[in-house]
Amino acid sequence: MAGARYAGEHRGKFDKDVVIDHDHSCCPKRTFCGECVRGILHRRCNSAIGYLRDDPDTFERIAEYLRGY
């Protein structure tokens, strides 16, 4: 997990709410090879990345939308 980063502040139980994020284009199944680890994320953040298909442009559009309120 060399070079892995932690994104944000952890607010839950470490063993249940924190997951290892990996590049889904490398390992599209539930398991991963270990070579494509990107970092450690809160489970909800990791789910959001998955729902948005790892597309940073979509994240930006959502952030812009939220900043408008």
Side-chain angles (χ1 to χ4, degrees):
M1 216 160 78
R5 295 176 294 192
Y6 175 72
E9 179 182 340
H10 175 63
R11 295 185 179 154
K13 294 181 181 178
F14 188 81
D15 61 339
K16 293 185 180 181
D17 292 336
V18 175
V19 297
I20 296 173
D21 178 44
H22 71 283
D23 182 353
H24 296 94
S25 66
C26 176
C27 302
K29 297 180 181 177
R30 289 185 65 88
T31 59
F32 59 95
C33 67
E35 298 294 321
C36 54
V37 172
R38 295 189 290 207
I40 300 170
L41 297 176
H42 186 273
R43 184 175 303 282
R44 289 181 183 174
C45 296
N46 192 52
S47 293
I49 289 172
Y51 288 132
L52 299 176
R53 306 256 191 238
D54 298 348
D55 182 3
D57 293 331
T58 301
F59 279 90
E60 286 297 324
R61 287 192 300 275
I62 291 171
E64 288 175 18
Y65 169 80
L66 290 174
R67 286 184 190 110
Y69 291 95

